[in-house]
Amino acid sequence: ILAAITTSLFIIPYLMITCCASKLVRFRRSHYIRPLIDAYHGPYKANCGYWLGVRQFLIIANYGLYAGLRGTSPLLLISLQTVSVAVFMIVQSHLKPFKNRMVDLLDMWFILLLFTLNIMVAMFLHKSKSTIGSPYITGILGVYLVTVAIVMIYHILSAIRYTRLWLQKSLCW
């Protein structure tokens, strides 16, 4: 019962907003969900609003692969997930769905880091008797966290700079 409630309250509306945003905006009462749609689809180009939904279906497909092939060889599971993520990254590199090229590159970097982490964790859990994968997993998590920290520092510094410029203009006439 709890899974049905969670699915109906969170997962289905989220997928509708990410996949069908252009159709939802046409409804008469869409001004209530318009800020939510703009928040999700803000960094994407106008003609690539569907890309967030495609990304969600890629995640669902990878989870489905994991659930269906859980008892089999992890090499088969990783190879099928590698093909799906590689096709996604190739298509994304050609479409360039974001408004900014740097955001496109940063998104590809995060996908690559998370996918590498996924492979390392899968192999580590498969061979859980040895601890040989632990330093690699920690290293990839470290690179991921350093990348997130660099992005956050950049945004904080740019916000401080714009705030300082705004204060100079408003106070110094």
Side-chain angles (χ1 to χ4, degrees), residues 5 44 55-56 72 81 85 105 112 115 121 135 137 140 142 154-155 165 168-170 173:
I5 291 171
Y44 294 99
R55 181 184 299 257
Q56 299 307 316
T72 63
Q81 286 181 343
V85 171
L105 293 173
L112 187 64
F115 183 67
V121 168
I137 293 172
I140 291 172
Y154 168 76
H155 284 293
L165 290 174
Q168 286 175 352
K169 286 181 183 177
S170 64
W173 300 31

Side-chain angles (χ1 to χ4, degrees), residues 14-33:
Y14 177 73
L15 285 175
M16 286 181 62
I17 287 173
T18 57
C19 297
C20 309
S22 61
K23 307 288 188 244
L24 290 174
V25 173
R26 296 180 187 161
F27 287 121
R28 187 170 35 139
R29 302 259 182 204
S30 69
H31 60 277
Y32 293 116
I33 60 170

Side-chain angles (χ1 to χ4, degrees), residues 56-126:
Q56 299 307 316
F57 281 115
L58 173 74
I59 292 170
I60 290 171
N62 278 336
Y63 282 139
L65 280 172
Y66 178 74
L69 301 173
R70 189 174 12 190
T72 63
S73 168
L75 187 61
L76 175 67
L77 176 65
I78 289 172
S79 62
L80 288 175
Q81 286 181 343
T82 302
V83 168
S84 67
V85 171
V87 167
F88 179 80
M89 288 179 71
I90 289 169
V91 170
Q92 180 170 338
S93 68
H94 288 295
L95 284 181
K96 297 180 182 75
F98 292 101
K99 294 176 184 174
N100 189 348
R101 182 182 168 105
M102 190 64 193
V103 175
D104 278 327
L105 293 173
L106 192 63
D107 186 57
M108 298 285 278
W109 176 247
F110 278 129
I111 290 172
L112 187 64
L113 282 177
L114 288 175
F115 183 67
T116 308
L117 181 68
N118 181 24
I119 290 173
M120 290 292 174
V121 168
M123 292 306 288
F124 180 70
L125 290 177
H126 178 67

